[in-house]
Amino acid sequence: MRILPVLAAASLTTVFLAAPATAAPPALGPTATGYGGAVSTVDPTATAVGIDVLRRGGNAVDAAIAAAATLGVTEPFSAGIGGGGFFVYYDAKRRSVSTIDGRETGPATMREDHFVDPADGLPYDFPEARVSGLSVGTPGTLATWQSAARKWGTRSLASLLQPAARVADRGFPVDATFRQQVADNAAAFGQFDATAELYLPGGAPPAVGSVQRNPDLADTYRLIARQGIDVFYRGLVGRDIVRTVQHPPVSDTPVGTWTFPIRPGTLTTADLAGYELRHPAPTKSQFRDLTVYGMSTPSSGGVAVGEALNILERARVDGRDVTKALHYYLEASALAFADRNRYVGAYTSPSVLKKLISDSWAAQRECQISPTRALTKPVPPGDITATGCTPAPVGGPVEQGVSTTNLTVADRWGNVVEYTFTIEQTGGNAMVVPGRGFLLNNELTDFNFTGTQGTAPDPNLPGPNKRPRSSMSPTIVLKDGKPFLALGSPGGATIITTVLQVLLNRVVLGMSLPDAMAAPRASQRNSAGIQAEAAFRTTYGPQLTPLGHAFTTVDAPELGAATAIEFTGRGGMIASAEPVRRGGGAAAVVHPR
Ligand code: GLY
């Protein structure tokens, strides 16, 4: 692997734009208003690349792919070609919403006890499962980009990889978030030379303001551009992935100490060659005059957001009583999580999904909520075979990591992309594929390691070629048949509540989109304690605690890192990103107004 020395900081304009640059850098704050197309991501370089593609005549799909490839360079600990994700697309001409399921799949040999230690019959500790070959699923990200470009784009994947390759070559300035993500992972990263050489220069995280380069990833992108994605799924890069999984390249001279054994995985070249995208119909639910499209299984995002919105609609919450709206938001979230934990996995039948997102199911669940008293958590899942309010046997909450990234793109023709993609934990499984410059995912740890549903079946146990359940919730909302809002977020299982809460803030409480994004967040995922940011607890705790809501003893430093675009009519757009969370995001429009 080639490692270049870290150089002095360079300005964004000199590092990201294609030569020759044709436009001044776009505004890179958290909010941008205008027309002609918009991009919102967590990262200014990726947003700038996306806007540049739109300015050069590309459409939303082209810009989303170019921005996503750039995030693989600048947000390498959250997403990249070593992972997977869900792509939701509104086609303005067809007036239809389509999806690509690029979720990682487990190996053909994966069994239900994949994460159970044969030595003692107990599930592995999470860090041991994560930093291993066992956690790696076949990545779906490159196949997603290829498919989206061919179906809906106007540029080749090869050309859309070029800006990201240039960013990887020239480098980008390290910010505090990037440095902290390395620092949080230093012990795991330090076990693998390829990871340590790239992200622990001189044995420590890179300094804020230094320039981070990744020439190996630039070369990998260019190799894929020249040879096509077969070099990844059936060729040299795939063989390197499989070698890394089956023989984790543990360093003879590690940086720091890792106390767990680093176990090999069983992913094979046949698993990579056999990878297949899916194109499930989006979930669809009606909330007042809005039609909400989300991602179907293996993501639970669309179903859970849809179920919770149906419950909120039934409860008739509105902006006149914020406490009531938040009370029902928290209760609806808990109920939706209980149901998704019990019923939703990769193979949930369409009839069950339809039931969970139906108004009759919302009626069955909403009737359990008391307007004056919070339910005891965890609440049991509903009984899918019953019609009344009767609870079914109890199920346990399941947590996921807090990594992942999200982007929202719209073009001047009215097409919209909402794309959430991930390598699971921040830092994935900590293994950079030697010589290739990208981290592998640990997505298979999104499976439950053992059953969580008592005597009832658990829909999210490992199985051959199975995709783990996700919480990713890329969401596109139509009003009168036209895009009104597109949004999504990272954050593991908190993705569902972040998307729901931004929708609640914007649509029910009547906040502007930037205010809806910035407002303090809380996440009730069917646990005794609500995870909340300090500002939420101090602002709303005094009203919610008397109703019986309890908060975790430690506040969440932040929940989510959302991106969104609102469509204001006559081509107008408000692009919105986080003002503060994850170091602040970057929203831009082609023509500011
Ligand atoms: N890995 C996070 C998710 O899929 O929800």
Side-chain angles (χ1 to χ4, degrees), residues 101 103-105 275-276 298 346 447 465-469:
D101 160 13
R103 186 68 159 167
E104 299 89 336
T105 53
Y275 183 79
E276 282 180 8
F447 283 115
N465 295 315
K466 193 173 173 184
R467 284 153 147 95
R469 178 176 61 210

Side-chain angles (χ1 to χ4, degrees), residues 271-295:
D271 289 320
L272 262 71
Y275 183 79
E276 282 180 8
L277 294 171
R278 296 173 63 253
H279 302 275
T283 60
K284 182 178 172 189
S285 58
Q286 200 65 31
F287 181 73
R288 300 182 177 166
D289 59 343
L290 304 176
T291 310
V292 182
Y293 289 94
M295 193 65 219

Side-chain angles (χ1 to χ4, degrees), residues 222-231 236:
R222 291 199 183 101
L223 181 68
I224 294 163
R226 280 197 309 276
Q227 298 194 7
I229 68 168
D230 264 5
V231 75
L236 289 174

Side-chain angles (χ1 to χ4, degrees), residues 233-320:
Y233 287 101
R234 294 187 171 79
L236 289 174
V237 180
R239 287 203 278 281
D240 288 350
I241 291 172
V242 167
R243 190 177 311 116
T244 306
V245 168
Q246 294 186 357
H247 308 282
V250 181
S251 176
D252 294 331
T253 53
V255 182
T257 309
W258 185 253
T259 49
F260 299 95
I262 296 174
R263 298 177 185 275
T266 55
L267 201 75
T268 64
T269 51
D271 289 320
L272 262 71
Y275 183 79
E276 282 180 8
L277 294 171
R278 296 173 63 253
H279 302 275
T283 60
K284 182 178 172 189
S285 58
Q286 200 65 31
F287 181 73
R288 300 182 177 166
D289 59 343
L290 304 176
T291 310
V292 182
Y293 289 94
M295 193 65 219
S296 190
T297 52
S299 184
S300 58
V303 176
V305 169
E307 176 181 341
L309 284 174
N310 289 341
I311 293 172
L312 289 172
E313 181 170 43
R314 219 184 147 72
R316 296 180 188 280
V317 291
D318 62 36
R320 287 172 299 184

Side-chain angles (χ1 to χ4, degrees), residues 28-339:
L28 297 172
T31 307
T33 306
Y35 61 101
V39 180
S40 181
T41 81
V42 298
D43 174 67
T45 310
T47 294
V49 164
I51 284 287
D52 196 48
V53 171
L54 292 177
R55 283 188 172 154
R56 290 165 189 264
N59 72 7
V61 172
D62 302 325
I65 295 167
T70 305
L71 287 169
V73 181
T74 58
E75 277 266 299
F77 314 123
S78 297
I81 58 174
F86 300 105
F87 195 102
V88 180
Y89 174 58
Y90 173 77
D91 188 310
K93 246 192 203 149
R94 294 195 175 84
R95 292 174 163 247
S96 64
V97 179
S98 309
T99 76
I100 302 176
D101 160 13
R103 186 68 159 167
E104 299 89 336
T105 53
T109 54
M110 185 168 63
R111 298 186 326 203
E112 197 169 296
D113 61 359
H114 190 75
F115 289 113
V116 174
D117 188 344
D120 58 12
L122 296 173
Y124 295 122
D125 289 330
F126 186 82
E128 183 174 348
R130 173 202 163 195
V131 181
S132 77
L134 288 170
S135 64
V136 182
T138 299
T141 290
L142 256 185
T144 300
W145 297 350
Q146 169 88 302
S147 172
R150 286 194 173 156
K151 283 160 85 81
W152 306 310
T154 67
R155 308 277 195 268
S156 67
L157 176 60
S159 71
L160 296 171
L161 291 173
Q162 300 305 326
R166 279 193 289 274
V167 173
D169 261 342
R170 296 179 196 179
F172 60 93
V174 168
D175 64 12
T177 304
F178 188 98
R179 184 184 192 286
Q180 190 57 48
Q181 288 176 331
V182 176
D184 293 344
N185 278 287
F189 285 3
Q191 306 313 304
F192 308 101
D193 289 340
T195 318
E197 285 167 8
L198 191 54
Y199 295 125
L200 293 167
V208 172
S210 60
V211 170
Q212 178 73 38
R213 292 192 162 83
N214 191 341
D216 284 342
L217 184 56
D219 287 348
T220 302
Y221 277 167
R222 291 199 183 101
L223 181 68
I224 294 163
R226 280 197 309 276
Q227 298 194 7
I229 68 168
D230 264 5
V231 75
F232 186 94
Y233 287 101
R234 294 187 171 79
L236 289 174
V237 180
R239 287 203 278 281
D240 288 350
I241 291 172
V242 167
R243 190 177 311 116
T244 306
V245 168
Q246 294 186 357
H247 308 282
V250 181
S251 176
D252 294 331
T253 53
V255 182
T257 309
W258 185 253
T259 49
F260 299 95
I262 296 174
R263 298 177 185 275
T266 55
L267 201 75
T268 64
T269 51
D271 289 320
L272 262 71
Y275 183 79
E276 282 180 8
L277 294 171
R278 296 173 63 253
H279 302 275
T283 60
K284 182 178 172 189
S285 58
Q286 200 65 31
F287 181 73
R288 300 182 177 166
D289 59 343
L290 304 176
T291 310
V292 182
Y293 289 94
M295 193 65 219
S296 190
T297 52
S299 184
S300 58
V303 176
V305 169
E307 176 181 341
L309 284 174
N310 289 341
I311 293 172
L312 289 172
E313 181 170 43
R314 219 184 147 72
R316 296 180 188 280
V317 291
D318 62 36
R320 287 172 299 184
D321 188 343
V322 175
T323 304
K324 177 182 170 188
L326 291 174
H327 170 64
Y328 274 87
Y329 156 66
L330 296 168
E331 299 295 77
S333 300
L335 291 165
F337 263 92
D339 295 338

Side-chain angles (χ1 to χ4, degrees), residues 335-359:
L335 291 165
F337 263 92
D339 295 338
R340 81 67 126 143
N341 288 347
R342 171 68 186 82
Y343 296 114
V344 184
Y347 303 138
T348 305
S349 75
S351 63
V352 170
L353 295 176
K354 203 169 158 200
K355 168 100 185 180
L356 291 175
I357 211 167
S358 68
D359 286 338

